[in-house]
Amino acid sequence: AQKVTQAQTEISVVEKEDVTLDCVYETRDTTYYLFWYKQPPSGELVFLIRRNSFDEQNEISGRYSWNFQKSTSSFNFTITASQVVDSAVYFCALSEGKTGGFKTIFGAGTRLFVKA
Amino acid sequence: GAVVSQHPSRVICKSGTSVKIECRSLDFQATTMFWYRQFPKQSLMLMATSNEGSKATYEQGVEKDKFLINHASLTLSTLTVTSAHPEDSSFYICSAQRTDNYGYTFGSGTRLTVV
């Protein structure tokens, strides 16, 4: 069965600090997709990244970076030099299937507070 | 591209009434749409999978007679909360899967308050 665990419920950092959000997943499928979404107070889900199970390359996008480790079933997300605007709830999600066409299961989310 | 419009964004209704929420894919066709519910400070929980032209598949514990889903076209799925009660107050979000299987796009959500 699918499962996504985000052990960190809340994280509080001071602006300009680096912060890593952890995500551990469980799946019996060999083909799956992992996602990170940001949910600001407005509620809308903002897509950040999608990674398929065959691509373990780490990715960097500006201040954001992702570390995908199949050996530990982890897909961690790091924000470098955090800013107040990064304050939000971040969800890690998993979708099984060749085309990611099956339902997406979300982790419990990590609420990030960035203080000025 | 790949925009999903969800309407309304907020709705307040009286207990016992029904509320319809629309989810439209604006610039792509979606064979499959998903409906999620999110209670305050909780994660998104999948309610049902909506397939164009067929009956929706509901997750365990979701009352199909209470949450009616219709996916009559490749660009529109609707969720109707029937005989709403205060405990149905929640944030409802839809997502659509593109027919080219590129991925998912989420709507902006509907905050339902039942008084």
Side-chain angles (χ1 to χ4, degrees):
Chain A
Q2 295 173 298
K3 186 178 180 181
V4 178
T5 301
Q6 293 180 259
Q8 303 149 308
T9 306
E10 291 186 0
I11 300 176
S12 184
V13 299
V14 177
E15 211 170 18
K16 297 183 183 178
E17 283 186 19
D18 298 346
V19 59
T20 296
L21 310 181
D22 297 332
C23 174
V24 175
Y25 63 92
E26 292 178 30
T27 176
R28 286 181 291 204
D29 209 336
T30 56
T31 302
Y32 52 89
Y33 291 81
L34 295 165
F35 304 81
W36 274 97
Y37 290 92
K38 174 182 180 179
Q39 188 177 43
S42 62
E44 184 171 352
L45 277 177
V46 178
F47 168 83
L48 297 178
I49 190 172
R50 184 184 86 155
R51 175 66 79 217
N52 73 55
S53 54
F54 298 108
D55 184 2
E56 279 194 80
Q57 270 193 326
N58 292 328
E59 182 156 339
I60 297 175
S61 176
R63 295 184 297 108
Y64 295 168
S65 62
W66 291 270
N67 183 285
F68 178 26
Q69 301 263 356
K70 287 181 75 171
S71 60
T72 56
S73 296
S74 65
F75 187 44
N76 296 338
F77 172 34
T78 297
I79 301 175
T80 303
S82 59
Q83 300 176 1
V84 173
V85 293
D86 294 329
S87 297
V89 180
Y90 291 85
F91 290 100
C92 180
L94 166 70
S95 179
E96 292 175 335
K98 289 183 179 180
T99 58
F102 298 125
K103 60 187 180 185
T104 301
I105 302 300
F106 286 81
T110 297
R111 188 174 297 272
L112 175 65
F113 296 98
V114 181
K115 304 174 187 176
Chain B
V3 177
V4 172
S5 172
Q6 189 172 337
H7 180 79
S9 58
R10 289 179 180 272
V11 58
I12 301 173
C13 70
K14 291 185 178 181
S15 189
T17 62
S18 295
V19 173
K20 179 184 284 188
I21 303 170
E22 292 188 349
C23 181
R24 291 181 185 273
S25 55
L26 297 185
D27 53 358
F28 67 101
Q29 293 183 324
T31 52
T32 304
M33 291 186 175
F34 301 90
W35 287 95
Y36 293 84
R37 179 169 51 184
Q38 185 182 31
F39 290 110
K41 296 192 176 184
Q42 293 189 24
S43 187
L44 284 79
M45 300 302 295
L46 180 67
M47 298 176 65
T49 302
S50 170
N51 295 299
E52 187 266 338
S54 63
K55 290 184 179 180
T57 303
Y58 290 82
E59 295 299 300
Q60 192 173 8
V62 178
E63 301 174 59
K64 60 179 68 176
D65 294 330
K66 181 169 185 59
F67 299 99
L68 302 179
I69 292 173
N70 183 280
H71 193 159
S73 77
L74 284 171
T75 59
L76 174 65
S77 176
T78 61
L79 167 68
T80 301
V81 183
T82 62
S83 188
H85 289 106
E87 56 264 32
D88 297 324
S89 297
S90 187
F91 192 59
Y92 294 86
I93 306 177
C94 70
S95 75
Q97 181 193 357
R98 295 171 57 137
T99 50
D100 60 5
N101 294 321
Y102 184 74
Y104 300 95
T105 302
F106 282 83
S108 54
T110 298
R111 193 166 300 281
L112 170 64
T113 303
V114 184
V115 297

